Amino acid sequence: MNIAKVIVDVPASSINQTFDYYIPDKFIDILEPGMRVIVPFGPRKIMGFVVGFVSESTFDKLKEIVDVLDITPVLTKELLELGKWVANETLSLSIIALQAMLPQVLKSTYKKELVKKTDLDLPVELEYLFAGRDIVPFEAFEQSNISYNKLQKVIQAGDVTIDYLVKSKITKKQITMVKPAKDSHLLEEALVDLSKAAKKQKQLVDFFIQKEEPIEQKRLLTILQTTTSTLKTLEEKGLIETYKQEVFRNPYNDDRFERTYPLELTDEQRGALNPIKESIEKEKHEVFLLHGVTGSGKTEVYLQAIQEVINKGKEAIVLVPEISLTPMMVRRFKGRFGSNVAVMHSALSAGEKYDEWRRIHQKEVKVVVGARSAVFAPFENLGIIIIDEEHETTYKQEDQPKYHARDVAIHRAENYNCPVILGSATPTLESYARATKNVYTLATLSKRTNDMPMPHVEIVDMRNELHVGNRTMFSRKLVEGMKERLKKNEQIVLLLNRRGYSTFVMCRDCGHVNECPHCDIALTYHKNSNRLKCHYCSYEENVPVNCPECSSDLIRYFGTGTQKVEEALTEIIPEATVIRMDVDTTRKKGSHEKILKQFAEKKADILLGTQMIAKGLDFGNVTLVGVLTADSMLHLPDFRSSEKTFQLLTQVSGRAGRHKLTGEVIVQTYTPEHYSIQLASVYNFSDFYKTEMAMRRKFRYPPYYFLALITISHENKVKVIQTSQKIVGLLMNKISQTTVVLGPTPSPIPRIKDRYRYQCMIKYRNEPQLRMYLNKIKEQFADEMRKENLLISIDMQPYHLM
Ligand code: ADP
Ligand code: ZN
Ligand code: ZN
């Protein structure tokens, strides 16, 4: 079989297929499915994935593979299959599905080098190639006549690795070291020769007379309070030497984590764990829904289930939402399983991510804890997949391939005959409905492990505040509560439910709002730069002095950004110190953690923030949680808005009184009678579930119906409308009677970056051919999409309905 089937890196729908290439002799023994190759494609050379081999091709005039990029496959057979499945499920291109499974480093342009990892001798040709060096460029190997087979053997033995250098940036971390270049008695002689004035130089030489070992340059400079110029001078005199040393990048230094041991489980925890253990033991695929209130010890159940999996020599994937992936979270897993844990987090650099991925790929770890894409971890002996906070919408990827990590997890677990645990205090209606129908196995943890009651929640009707003349955004009750806590040196968390709110500029005379000229959305006011910015494109402008509409100078800022709340807060309670956590203050890498650390160290009384503060925080000293605008999400054009409100209120309430001190929650709202607010305030999930299910049934939404959202966009509005109508017409011919097609209508944001947007929503119960119809429709428009820049985007499980 000397022909390879290759999926090429060309993102166009007409080429969602494999191409055949001859395999040159030198690659024939080493090439395996899942390896990346370089192939000629038209006038260009591009990357592709080998997915299989054949001995005959229906194409004529085959070209040859130019180069092989991997010595071991980057995608396993299972992942290749999974890629096909993902592409099909999400109606995306195979190449995009495959690339979604790999770290960034393997997608970009790169150089390769070979690194020798052993002190022992390699086979003689390879020793000759390395010639005493630890690292050689990959080209050196290609120019030699060593066979790929030989290289593959030493790589498989772990004696040599291939490293990728991203765009000339080194993916491995190096530090500069300094060491004495002479014996200490020679240094002593040199010391005498140094001029009296050269104090710093003398100090440095003296340092190495005392301590003859190498030291990291950065540390040396801080210890001696000196600069690199001193080092340079001494290096020129031949007294010291500097050199680069590679350090293995481990963003989470394992020594930092204190070892923890399995806890004696509560009855409820044991009740939840036992059937999971059985599923692991019997190698039987099963999905468990672990419904446990915040603080009920779900994580301990995960940890003990993973221990069971490791004992069987298998591997575990743990997914947590991006923003819960805090050092606190990592510590719980590293504390139990030490260096057996890899962490995949978007805050890691591309190189760090690659290192972690490689540790999984080379089977150096048994557990990966990570955000959404960690569901593709290249394990080959999976024993469990856990999704914590399963209700989080960030598990759905919003770019192609638009997959949901939950579906991928369940699909992989079916392949491996292993269990999946979905854990949450507020499960999605979809998952809970499946549990009530015994598609999933439900386990409930109803009590907190410390037996502390859930904090009391008080709902404050903000309309009454207006009636008594309180025009601030803080109710009297909340202000009182905050002052009380400040007196007792206790801390407060304030949540500004920011979605749907922003600071915009409006003319008080005519009501004119400044909008982005390219997108139909109000511009957001940024105080620091005093400019108006669009959050959908990069457009910005100065704040107008006069209204562009009526020339009035009564221009005012509206909305409640966190900055504004902070200002108002310091006016009302000047004695309080406030830390703000929102997109603006957490943009820099590590700033998120820094803010949390400051708050944990009690450097502030109040932590004020958006949604991101609702997750996973665990501060013993927080006794009051205030929600400023509980209903700001309720009125968004999204059928999940009640569910999201319920989830958020429950999550944030769980932040108070986690430890010895009892907590209180104050929820401010203009719609206190709404069931999601009422039921969240008494932690009544089951009534919420019933009420919301009735709504979903009535309005034909998930979990009763499936959804598919088609969005059509183009610069010409007429073209968008015409195309949308055509698409709906085509669909109507195919679909069954019970299926509903809504639209076409303008999208909630009708224009982004000068492109008009229309959408239609398909609601269906049973439409086995729908994916095929949609693919066909897309194919019909393929020419227009390519030539006229028409965009038809299909989301088979939409979460963002904007
Ligand atoms: P959840 O993930 O459900 O919010 P956690 O796993 O964070 O809950 O558990 C809350 C606290 O209870 C943690 O401090 C944890 O160490 C502790 N805990 C969990 N299980 C037990 C147990 N069986 N006995 C004592 N403490 C426990
Ligand atoms: Zn005006
Ligand atoms: Zn814009």
Side-chain angles (χ1 to χ4, degrees), residues 222-287:
T222 21
I223 292 173
L224 296 182
Q225 291 294 306
T226 182
T227 60
T228 41
S229 71
T230 322
L231 286 178
K232 275 238 175 67
T233 321
L234 290 176
E235 197 170 9
E236 276 158 19
K237 290 183 179 159
L239 298 176
I240 60 164
E241 270 173 31
T242 64
Y243 59 98
K244 298 259 184 227
Q245 181 174 307
E246 190 190 310
V247 285
F248 191 66
R249 212 174 2 206
N250 187 348
Y252 301 95
N253 185 354
D254 294 338
D255 310 336
R256 246 172 46 198
F257 300 100
E258 209 177 305
R259 177 76 221 237
T260 67
Y261 297 91
L263 299 170
E264 179 77 37
L265 295 183
T266 63
D267 286 347
E268 280 191 331
Q269 283 173 318
R270 210 171 305 118
L273 183 62
N274 280 342
I276 298 170
K277 272 182 160 172
E278 203 177 302
S279 158
I280 296 168
E281 193 52 44
K282 295 195 174 142
E283 307 198 351
K284 182 168 138 264
H285 168 67
E286 195 170 344
V287 181

Side-chain angles (χ1 to χ4, degrees), residues 506-513 546-555:
M506 187 164 101
C507 167
R508 294 227 325 204
D509 274 334
C510 75
H512 173 82
V513 172
N546 295 101
C547 171
E549 215 36 58
C550 73
S551 305
S552 157
D553 59 0
L554 280 176
I555 299 241

